[in-house]
Amino acid sequence: MENTFIDALVRACSCRQQTRTKPTRSLSNFQTFTYHRPRRRNIQSCAKQATNAVDSRLYMQPQSTSSSVSKNEYMQLLDYYREPQDTTGPFASNRPPPTSSVFVHEEQRKELGDSLSHSSGESGEVLGLDCIEPKTLEPDTRTNDKSESELCPPRNTPESTSLEDYRDNFVEANLLESDPTSEYPRFHEEDKARAIDRFLHLLEDRTSSHGQIYEAYCQLPSPGIRYMAVDSRRILFQRLSVIENKSKQAMLRYLRLVDDMKEASIPLSLSEWNTAIAYAGRCFVHVDALQVETALRIWKEMEQEAGIRSGLVTFNILFDIAAKAGKYVLAEMILKEMNERRLHYSRFSHTGFIYFHGLKGDGAGVRKAYRDLVEAGQIVDTVVMNCVIASLIRAGELPAAEQVYERMKRHFRVKTGGFASNRDWRYSRDLGRILDRASRELRQQPKRLQRLQSQQCLAPDMRTFSILIDYHVHFTGELRRITFLLAEMQDFKIPIQGRIFIKIFRGFARHGGVKYTSWTTQRLEAVWTSLLGALDAQDEGIQLMKWMVVWVVRAFARCCGRARALQIWEEIRDRWRVVEDDEKEVVEHLLRDILHEIQTDDDC
């Protein structure tokens, strides 16, 4: 009778009507059900049991491998609800998951319509957390996120192009002298030649940073674009468009080049317009109405004034910006415009639809969008599954996201075996474009497409663990679960990066400093010691950055008090090598506010 009652509860919790629309703290009690759990367990025996279970379940050599993976097997990575089929519209067979009806005032629809109408024609041991008792997990239990670099427009100029042939053309292209009435000082010929030579040298050097290139560009007579050959301009735009994380400073640099192109009456290409739209709408972590308005204004200028018709990449970028800003009606209108222009969805379009439904809290829509991606012949890899996991978590379905994560591990062990190679963001960016092009070109060759699909890896990567750890840091505060994920990172041979340290310190700042918490002062000191060791060893991907410094000091202020936080701050100042000019000022401003609040609380 007891087992029957528990089974009924499990079925009721998986009912569609019981799904929450937003993640809440009620999910923090997610754990395995054991009918006879002992009251006390030895820490060493638990750690040994968990290690043996992981080794035997995942990381031994696979007993059998398969050279082909069917479409149904990828479908079964998710559980589905029974949903009505969308049979309306001229593109019903090729349209994304239907969105739920949203009531919008007539004024809002008119305002949005005006904007669109113009364009219709490493491990827990490394972090010092190994002292935490691991929790035995239920077998079936969250990166381009689709990473933000996935929707960046493709570039026609290869990165390996040499600039030696352009050096003479660069000088020959200088047909216009500096305006005598300009506010900028006139350049002597020697100074001009020296500035041009330095700029071309940095542009040719693949190791030069965006800041160095832009600084050298600013030394040219204004506008510097006039003094550049066509190929040099394209390479400059291409270099400044390839970036891991868009920022305000990177956006200002790129838009300055766009303004110079307009001033010199030199037309921009479609890909350069697309990058400008992406920078304007996604340069901040949180997208708001201002970024949406700026992106739409650039889009309108591109189509109406420049006379360049938008492509699929343009609408993918606009759809992504509107969705992340919470402008769901605008996103639907952009989607409608895509259908009216008869644009065929790409890999990035389908992953965008998955993420869109996750932002809306629609778990069923996430499942249907994923199913449509598979049925459209798109290739499934870790990036797609990371998007599914992140979307399910945003929809409030943590157990479903954990289940997808477990199925990814099992699929990787059975179908592939071994370990996944560590890929940086550039590799993932290029691979995504290759897979998108292959799915289009091999659509009429299913055997070759199936063989290419079978070669893809579904092993969890850094992005997968980052998504799951971030959720537990923000909502559940389960340090045991975070420690288990860190141990699995070590099993998958994934080195820990600075972003993981930031999330751990943020967890101490959110959940430490109270009685009976797992986020204790001793564990915080252990994590800090591990970070110092990684910095001294100069491990790749680990360095003192703005937000790492902020959360380290906040964590020590919360758990250890203001005196210890000041000691940590002095130690950081001796080690920190600031990259950006205003980075240290921003950090000092944030920390002054924090320390002032702590001092006020102590005085009270």
Side-chain angles (χ1 to χ4, degrees):
M1 179 63 68
E2 180 182 359
N3 293 341
T4 303
F5 176 72
I6 293 176
D7 292 339
L9 283 179
V10 173
R11 288 195 298 270
C13 292
S14 61
C15 178
R16 177 181 180 181
Q17 284 73 15
Q18 302 298 327
T19 302
R20 296 181 181 269
T21 58
K22 293 183 179 180
T24 60
R25 288 185 178 271
S26 62
L27 296 176
S28 61
N29 295 326
F30 173 74
Q31 58 183 358
T32 57
F33 293 97
T34 55
Y35 303 138
H36 303 287
R37 183 185 297 275
R39 292 181 178 272
R40 296 182 180 273
R41 305 180 68 182
N42 182 269
I43 295 179
Q44 289 76 11
S45 64
C46 290
K48 183 177 180 180
Q49 179 182 354
T51 303
N52 293 338
V54 169
D55 292 340
S56 62
R57 189 176 66 228
L58 284 176
Y59 309 113
M60 53 189 304
Q61 289 294 332
Q63 298 179 354
S64 62
T65 59
S66 175
S67 59
S68 97
V69 184
S70 65
K71 186 178 295 185
N72 290 333
E73 288 179 300
Y74 283 102
M75 292 285 193
Q76 293 172 2
L77 290 174
L78 274 77
D79 293 329
Y80 302 93
Y81 302 127
R82 179 175 298 178
E83 305 163 2
Q85 295 294 329
D86 182 17
T87 58
T88 61
F91 301 98
S93 60
N94 195 30
R95 67 172 61 248
T99 56
S100 59
S101 59
V102 181
F103 175 79
V104 184
H105 294 286
E106 189 65 26
E107 295 81 359
Q108 183 179 1
R109 285 195 178 274
K110 184 177 184 301
E111 178 183 355
L112 296 176
D114 293 338
S115 301
L116 286 164
S117 60
H118 299 292
S119 59
S120 58
E122 210 148 302
S123 69
E125 183 178 358
V126 173
L127 291 180
L129 300 177
D130 55 314
C131 57
I132 304 174
E133 177 184 357
K135 186 184 294 185
T136 305
L137 298 180
E138 190 176 359
D140 288 335
T141 53
R142 132 186 180 217
T143 95
N144 304 145
D145 130 68
K146 144 178 98 59
S147 74
E148 294 191 359
S149 62
E150 286 185 357
L151 292 180
C152 288
R155 290 291 165 186
N156 298 325
T157 305
E159 296 186 6
S160 59
T161 304
S162 175
L163 296 177
E164 292 294 340
D165 299 334
Y166 304 148
R167 192 174 301 273
D168 295 336
N169 295 334
F170 191 107
V171 180
E172 292 176 1
N174 180 13
L175 302 178
L176 299 177
E177 296 294 336
S178 300
D179 185 2
T181 62
S182 175
E183 60 179 340
Y184 297 94
R186 298 193 63 178
F187 283 73
H188 296 290
E189 292 300 327
E190 295 181 358
D191 297 337
K192 186 186 302 183
R194 190 181 302 109
I196 292 175
D197 187 73
R198 179 175 180 272
F199 172 77
L200 287 176
H201 175 74
L202 290 173
L203 194 61
E204 186 179 14
D205 185 6
R206 306 307 303 175
T207 61
S208 58
S209 64
H210 291 184
Q212 293 173 329
I213 295 176
Y214 181 76
E215 181 182 356
Y217 172 80
C218 292
Q219 300 303 317
L220 300 177
S222 179
I225 289 292
R226 285 184 176 180
Y227 301 88
M228 301 175 62
V230 176
D231 295 329
S232 301
R233 290 198 299 265
R234 299 305 177 218
I235 294 178
L236 174 61
F237 275 94
Q238 191 271 340
R239 287 289 303 272
L240 295 184
S241 67
V242 180
I243 187 172
E244 182 177 8
N245 298 313
K246 293 181 174 60
S247 63
K248 178 181 177 181
Q249 191 170 13
M251 179 265 293
L252 294 176
R253 292 169 181 166
Y254 194 90
L255 294 186
R256 159 73 186 277
L257 295 181
V258 173
D259 292 337
D260 288 352
M261 292 281 284
K262 297 177 185 177
E263 182 181 350
S265 300
I266 301 175
L268 291 160
S269 65
L270 176 60
S271 61
E272 290 163 355
W273 280 109
N274 290 338
T275 305
I277 296 174
Y279 266 119
R282 298 194 302 221
C283 62
F284 297 101
V285 177
H286 302 288
V287 183
D288 56 19
L290 180 60
Q291 281 78 56
V292 175
E293 180 183 355
T294 305
L296 290 175
R297 185 167 59 249
I298 297 177
W299 175 47
K300 177 182 176 181
E301 181 182 359
M302 179 189 74
E303 290 218 337
Q304 292 187 345
E305 300 181 14
I308 298 180
R309 188 171 177 82
S310 302
L312 178 61
V313 175
T314 310
F315 286 104
N316 284 341
I317 296 172
L318 291 173
F319 182 86
D320 182 71
I321 294 172
K324 290 181 177 179
K327 307 292 185 180
Y328 302 136
V329 177
L330 176 61
E332 293 173 4
M333 298 179 69
I334 294 173
L335 183 59
K336 181 180 178 181
E337 184 71 16
M338 294 171 64
N339 293 327
E340 291 180 354
R341 299 195 184 194
R342 299 180 178 271
L343 298 176
H344 296 285
Y345 300 145
S346 66
R347 164 190 175 91
F348 307 126
S349 303
H350 285 285
T351 52
F353 300 150
I354 295 173
Y355 196 71
F356 171 68
H357 287 288
L359 292 172
K360 294 179 61 178
D362 184 8
V366 171
R367 292 169 172 84
K368 187 178 186 305
Y370 171 76
R371 185 172 63 229
D372 290 345
L373 180 145
V374 178
E375 292 177 347
Q378 297 295 333
I379 298 176
V380 180
D381 64 347
T382 302
V383 174
V384 175
M385 300 313 301
N386 287 345
C387 181
V388 172
I389 292 175
S391 302
L392 289 174
I393 288 180
R394 286 186 173 273
E397 299 191 25
L398 176 63
E402 294 274 7
Q403 188 178 63
V404 173
Y405 166 69
E406 294 294 333
R407 290 176 178 175
M408 287 175 63
K409 296 190 299 184
R410 185 164 58 249
H411 182 278
F412 174 70
R413 176 180 62 88
V414 174
K415 298 297 180 180
T416 307
F419 297 97
S421 59
N422 296 321
R423 303 169 178 175
D424 60 3
W425 64 273
R426 292 179 182 270
Y427 181 90
S428 300
R429 172 179 175 269
D430 296 337
L431 178 62
R433 295 178 176 179
I434 293 174
L435 295 180
D436 178 58
R437 184 171 67 250
S439 63
R440 296 194 308 268
E441 297 178 353
L442 301 179
R443 189 165 299 172
Q444 305 301 327
Q445 305 179 42
K447 291 185 178 180
R448 294 184 60 186
L449 184 62
Q450 184 67 31
R451 184 164 61 252
L452 180 61
Q453 173 67 87
S454 301
Q455 296 173 356
Q456 303 310 309
C457 176
L458 288 186
D461 59 2
M462 171 60 69
R463 176 62 180 166
T464 314
F465 291 103
S466 178
I467 294 170
L468 293 170
I469 291 175
D470 186 73
Y471 177 83
H472 289 293
V473 165
H474 281 81
F475 296 100
T476 68
E478 291 187 0
L479 189 56
R480 290 175 176 174
R481 178 58 178 160
I482 295 174
T483 306
F484 186 88
L485 292 171
L486 293 173
E488 292 202 328
M489 285 181 61
Q490 183 186 32
D491 294 327
F492 276 100
K493 308 299 182 183
I494 299 176
I496 192 170
Q497 295 182 359
R499 69 178 73 176
I500 301 299
F501 275 105
I502 295 176
K503 297 180 189 301
I504 299 299
F505 284 114
R506 188 168 187 173
F508 279 100
R510 291 175 63 92
H511 307 289
V514 296
K515 291 183 177 180
Y516 313 115
T517 180
S518 300
W519 305 81
T520 61
T521 302
Q522 294 78 7
R523 288 166 181 161
L524 174 60
E525 294 285 354
V527 176
W528 172 244
T529 302
S530 300
L531 176 59
L532 294 180
L535 293 173
D536 294 336
Q538 297 182 351
D539 292 347
E540 184 178 359
I542 299 179
Q543 59 182 351
L544 287 175
M545 299 174 292
K546 176 177 65 176
W547 288 110
M548 180 180 290
V549 173
V550 170
W551 287 113
V552 166
V553 177
R554 283 181 175 177
F556 275 95
R558 176 69 181 269
C559 299
C560 306
R562 180 172 179 266
R564 179 57 176 156
L566 288 174
Q567 294 176 1
I568 296 297
W569 168 241
E570 293 298 330
E571 188 173 356
I572 289 176
R573 292 178 61 183
D574 297 336
R575 291 174 170 268
W576 194 12
R577 299 295 180 265
V578 182
V579 179
E580 304 293 345
D581 295 336
D582 60 342
E583 189 174 20
K584 193 170 184 178
E585 297 179 1
V586 174
V587 172
E588 289 179 346
H589 173 73
L590 293 173
L591 295 181
R592 278 200 302 268
D593 294 343
I594 296 170
L595 297 177
H596 175 71
E597 293 177 1
I598 297 174
Q599 187 177 14
T600 303
D601 295 340
D602 292 341
D603 294 340
C604 295

